[in-house]
Amino acid sequence: MNQETAETAEIGEAPAELTSPIPNFTVLLSPTRRGARLARLLATEQLRTWGLPLDAAQHIVGELAANAAIHGRVSGRNFRLTLYVVGDILRIEVTDTRGDRLPLVQHPDTEGESGRGLVLVEALADRWGVSTGRTPRKTVWAEITVPAPGLSEQRLRPGHLTEAAGPTAVEEPARRPAGAGAGRVGQR
């Protein structure tokens, strides 16, 4: 590896570099109603920091986080919220440790008090789906087309703590999980 780098430098070719960083945000939260609420609040603040529209994204985060807290709960295990922007696509991912319980869109009766979360996600997202990871994980994701983010360079540095999120949330270089985008459930 070092020899290849040295040879490239001698030839005068610059090594490949990212021309612009991928804005991203990741946080682990407890699988409780409070954790789901915190996911929505932290996501809203991060989207505001990036200068992105809030309406659809905050509803999607709220529904996916609530599903992780209610249906994906495993005692002693957290769920992970990840947001990142590639081009004009905002991707929202919520990962929990109940890979054995895949979400299904169920159209509830008019009298029902629950069961509308994924119907809402399906209506608001351009695309959404489920990716299974290493057992026992699953990631429910949604994508929304957004205008190009108005980001400041300071907030894009890897490892930079966001002001809105505090010490538990760290922006990291985006890494797509294995199988991301596979296993699509819904598409608009």
Side-chain angles (χ1 to χ4, degrees):
M1 175 92 180
N2 288 338
Q3 288 179 335
E4 292 173 6
T5 305
E7 290 173 3
T8 302
E10 289 177 21
I11 296 172
E13 296 176 20
E17 289 185 27
L18 286 175
T19 56
S20 63
I22 297 172
N24 66 90
F25 172 82
T26 298
V27 63
L28 290 175
L29 298 159
S30 65
T32 61
R33 291 183 190 273
R34 178 178 274 173
R37 180 175 176 264
L38 186 56
R40 185 179 53 80
L41 293 172
L42 290 172
T44 298
E45 286 306 310
Q46 188 61 55
L47 294 170
R48 186 174 287 130
T49 299
W50 289 341
L52 297 177
L54 304 175
D55 294 338
Q58 69 185 3
H59 289 301
I60 291 170
V61 168
E63 294 301 332
L64 296 182
N67 283 350
I70 294 168
H71 305 293
R73 182 184 180 116
V74 173
S75 183
R77 302 242 174 123
N78 294 327
F79 74 89
R80 181 180 66 216
L81 167 67
T82 302
L83 307 172
Y84 58 91
V85 181
V86 178
D88 63 348
I89 301 294
L90 167 65
R91 185 166 171 118
I92 300 163
E93 297 180 350
V94 174
T95 303
D96 65 44
T97 53
R98 288 299 304 262
D100 58 324
R101 298 184 76 182
L102 299 179
L104 294 172
V105 177
Q106 298 176 1
H107 297 280
D109 61 35
T110 56
E111 304 287 321
E113 291 184 20
S114 64
R116 292 174 177 81
L118 290 177
V119 173
L120 183 62
V121 170
E122 190 172 62
L124 295 174
D126 295 325
R127 288 167 300 284
W128 76 277
V130 178
S131 300
T132 54
R134 289 183 4 204
T135 303
R137 292 184 216 131
K138 76 167 176 296
T139 299
V140 183
W141 56 267
E143 294 180 345
I144 305 170
T145 303
V146 294
L151 299 167
S152 69
E153 289 302 315
Q154 177 185 10
R155 295 179 193 264
L156 292 177
R157 290 193 314 255
H160 177 71
L161 290 176
T162 62
E163 294 172 28
T168 60
V170 177
E171 289 187 46
E172 302 173 351
R175 288 183 209 105
R176 237 185 189 154
R184 288 190 174 161
V185 173
Q187 190 165 345
R188 194 169 83 169

